[in-house]
Amino acid sequence: MNIEPDLFSPYEMGRTKLRNRLVMSPMGRRRAHESGTPSELMAEYYGQRASAGLVITESTHPALHGKGQPGSPHLFSEADKRSWAKVVSAVHDAGGTVFVQLMHSGSAGHHSVNGGRQPLAPSPVRPRETTKVDGEVVEYPVPREMAVEDIRRVIAEYTASAALAIDAGFDGVELHVGNGFLPQQFLASGSNRRTDEFGGSPRNRCRFVLDLVRALSGTIGAERVGFKISPGFSVNQVEEIDALETYTHLLRHPDMAGLAYCHTSAFSDAAMLGWIADNWRGTWIHNVGINPTVSAQAVRTNCWPP
């Protein structure tokens, strides 16, 4: 008799063995110390949630200039690594598996939290949204267009952060390519108005993400790299007028095939989610948000291969 696996059955995500098919979504709590190192409360918080098959941490910055919010954690120094190791130990001691989400805010950054720097972005396009500084609503500054040298440096910073993550004991890293942050800013024509090899056509706009994936895979192994996307989610001046062509090129690229998983959010375009369901052959994790009409069993059926 063929019995379908349920949400609480084990799952092999490449070389990573999960004790069930439930995933804790990355959620920003802003509980890091002022220095950006994780706090003791964060170790307690994540340890309490280790019964999920996979825990994905809140957005964590691979460089100070990638920070967009106060209280969010970093992972680019030995001190950061030591503090994160305590978080990882808390999860592992409770029998859990944990990936760290690496995120660079790009144009959605502010000099009040990123060391006084002008934010970096594919093009000097200011987000439509606002942010808060000391309780006051302010506009984001116009970002500085990244030179090719900046792009290579940021990729190196991601790579170094991923290596620190593995040294800290993380089971893997999740590359945040959604929610209007730097990698998605490169993918989208609304925020990427470059005319060099990193802009213009969908193929060129995918180059930054693919170069980044290739660097991470070469450093820690593709099976330890997951990624999150939110196609069609327009935020931070990210407008994707050719999303299908862009994400088709991205997800079908050979460098994406061996990655740990593809993670999508409820804010994504429904048609694009349908395309992913039909075309992505690896592990797919979908966050349904807070929609009470979507059952966990339905999500399991649609998003996890048996």
Side-chain angles (χ1 to χ4, degrees):
M1 182 172 64
N2 183 20
I3 301 176
E4 286 268 336
D6 61 27
L7 285 169
F8 299 98
S9 63
Y11 181 79
E12 292 191 11
M13 190 175 70
R15 296 183 182 179
T16 304
K17 295 182 179 180
L18 307 181
R19 60 182 178 181
N20 60 54
R21 299 171 181 230
L22 296 169
V23 180
M24 177 183 165
S25 175
M27 296 177 284
R29 299 282 78 114
R30 302 188 190 180
R31 292 169 173 167
H33 293 301
E34 187 174 351
S35 64
T37 60
S39 64
E40 293 74 14
L41 181 60
M42 289 171 63
E44 180 181 2
Y45 170 80
Y46 285 109
Q48 290 171 339
R49 288 152 179 80
S51 59
L54 174 63
V55 172
I56 307 173
T57 74
E58 62 206 278
S59 292
T60 302
H61 308 299
L64 181 58
H65 58 75
K67 189 170 184 174
Q69 297 289 343
S72 55
H74 312 158
L75 183 50
F76 52 79
S77 69
E78 288 295 321
D80 295 338
K81 182 184 79 172
R82 289 192 297 270
S83 294
W84 273 116
K86 297 176 183 178
V87 177
V88 173
S89 292
V91 175
H92 285 172
D93 289 348
T97 301
V98 56
F99 276 42
V100 60
Q101 185 188 78
L102 298 182
M103 184 274 272
H104 191 299
S105 60
S107 64
H110 197 274
H111 53 78
S112 64
V113 295
N114 72 0
R117 297 168 173 83
Q118 183 180 11
L120 298 175
S123 301
V125 179
R126 179 166 57 191
R128 291 185 298 262
E129 292 76 15
T130 58
T131 188
K132 282 189 175 182
V133 175
D134 297 328
E136 181 182 354
V137 177
V138 299
E139 290 186 338
Y140 285 108
V142 176
R144 176 170 68 81
E145 179 170 307
M146 297 169 71
V148 172
E149 293 77 14
D150 295 316
I151 292 173
R152 298 304 180 203
R153 175 170 53 83
V154 168
I155 290 174
E157 288 167 341
Y158 267 103
T159 304
S161 183
L164 285 173
I166 299 305
D167 286 347
F170 278 106
D171 299 289
V173 306
E174 176 177 283
L175 175 61
H176 200 337
V177 189
N179 292 26
F181 298 124
L182 183 65
Q184 191 181 17
Q185 291 164 23
F186 269 94
L187 294 178
S189 58
S191 50
N192 184 347
R193 302 176 185 178
R194 304 173 70 94
T195 58
D196 63 1
E197 68 268 35
F198 291 95
S201 67
R203 178 183 296 269
N204 280 357
R205 296 200 309 271
C206 288
R207 191 181 305 276
F208 172 74
V209 175
L210 291 171
D211 284 357
L212 184 48
V213 164
R214 195 176 301 114
L216 293 174
S217 297
T219 300
I220 66 173
E223 71 281 359
R224 286 175 160 171
V225 180
F227 66 98
K228 181 178 181 179
I229 54 175
S230 57
F233 182 32
S234 295
V235 65
N236 298 336
Q237 206 69 19
V238 168
E239 296 175 286
E240 298 175 318
I241 61 173
D242 49 11
L244 181 59
E245 185 178 357
T246 301
Y247 286 93
T248 297
H249 177 72
L250 180 69
L251 297 182
R252 286 183 175 172
H253 196 279
D255 287 330
M256 305 294 283
L259 301 186
Y261 60 80
C262 171
H263 176 189
T264 54
S265 79
F267 300 109
S268 303
D269 177 78
M272 281 300 308
L273 292 177
W275 184 92
I276 293 169
D278 292 337
N279 289 273
W280 178 253
R281 293 294 174 257
T283 296
W284 179 23
I285 302 171
H286 181 58
N287 182 344
V288 299
I290 57 174
N291 185 349
T293 65
V294 180
S295 72
Q297 186 62 29
V299 173
R300 185 209 64 76
T301 301
N302 292 330
C303 301
W304 287 92

